[in-house]
Amino acid sequence: MSGLIGKKVGMTSIFDENGKNMPCTVIEAGPCVVTQVRTEEVDGYSALQLGFDDKAEKRANKAQSGHFKKAGTSPKKKVVEFQDFEGEFKLGDTLGVDLFEEGEFVDVVGTSKGKGFQGVVKRHGFAGVGQATHGQHNRLRAPGSIGAASYPARVFKGMKMAGRMGGDQVTVQNLRVLKIVPEKNLIVVKGCVPGHKNAYVTIQK
């Protein structure tokens, strides 16, 4: 599984060759530096650890500074491991958007926007009472009954209730690469990807 770490720039829309307006997301992908190479002999699996987005030397502790110094690079804000990376790379190599091609399909992994504590209508799509009859006036968005009776005398696990919403890892699969801008390290994919602007994402193929 090859891939890159990127940062979501934002959304826009572009026209294809048929004049159709397509929504798309712009991602700043790379350049990513190989900060560690994991091998079957030493680690039991093969993977590449990539680092993205420089951070100040004073923001890194000694363990991090030593780790990045071994790769001959400055400390990075985001480090992600990609297992079974295609191709041969060594410590300190730099990877860019030329890893991808226009027209191919990629998966994008990110963290969805946090919504805070939300009720059942927003969180689970409950319909609510809808100002029904029988004198109901303050039960519009209430969850309703959550259990049966003296048997089972408990609430089943996984009951859909109000709670904290968002802030989850989300993978969006099969997004088509519409455009690549190598000089600015930008990749444009069709559709939307999880997260707020400037959120870190990983692009996998």
Side-chain angles (χ1 to χ4, degrees):
M1 179 187 69
S2 302
L4 285 179
I5 312 168
K7 190 186 279 188
K8 179 177 174 179
V9 177
M11 290 195 72
T12 182
S13 61
I14 60 176
F15 291 94
D16 65 1
E17 60 276 4
N18 299 319
K20 187 180 178 183
N21 192 15
M22 294 186 295
C24 54
T25 306
V26 182
I27 302 171
E28 182 190 337
C32 296
V33 180
V34 178
T35 53
Q36 192 171 3
V37 181
R38 297 201 181 272
T39 58
E40 291 278 357
E41 299 80 46
V42 179
D43 305 288
Y45 67 100
S46 64
L48 275 190
Q49 187 190 85
L50 302 182
F52 171 70
D53 206 6
D54 292 337
K55 72 175 177 181
E57 290 277 354
K58 66 178 183 180
R59 295 287 180 201
N61 58 34
K62 286 190 176 180
Q64 290 171 342
S65 298
H67 181 72
F68 291 116
K69 195 173 285 183
K70 196 181 286 186
T73 183
S74 58
K76 303 296 180 187
K77 287 182 181 177
K78 185 71 173 175
V79 176
V80 177
E81 210 169 78
F82 294 87
Q83 289 196 25
D84 302 319
F85 209 96
E86 293 172 11
E88 289 294 321
F89 298 95
K90 60 182 188 298
L91 212 59
D93 284 357
T94 303
L95 282 70
V97 288
D98 49 359
L99 197 70
F100 301 102
E101 297 172 6
E102 290 184 7
E104 74 176 339
F105 291 87
V106 296
D107 298 344
V108 179
V109 183
T111 304
S112 62
K113 287 181 179 179
K115 307 286 185 183
F117 194 100
Q118 297 297 332
V120 290
V121 173
K122 184 180 179 78
R123 192 177 186 216
H124 297 297
F126 283 21
V129 175
Q131 275 187 332
T133 178
H134 305 297
Q136 300 200 59
H137 66 281
N138 62 349
R139 311 287 299 154
L140 213 57
R141 301 170 71 90
S145 171
I146 60 166
S150 56
Y151 176 82
R154 64 190 178 92
V155 177
F156 290 118
K157 284 185 178 178
M159 178 66 63
K160 290 180 178 178
M161 291 183 175
R164 191 168 297 185
M165 181 182 175
D168 301 313
Q169 180 177 296
V170 179
T171 303
V172 183
Q173 295 182 310
N174 299 325
L175 297 177
R176 185 151 55 92
V177 178
L178 298 177
K179 196 173 183 180
I180 290 175
V181 188
E183 58 272 14
K184 292 186 177 179
N185 297 311
L186 296 179
I187 179 170
V188 181
V189 296
K190 185 178 178 182
C192 57
V193 305
H196 54 80
K197 288 179 183 176
N198 294 321
Y200 290 114
V201 296
T202 57
I203 311 161
Q204 304 166 353
K205 68 171 183 175

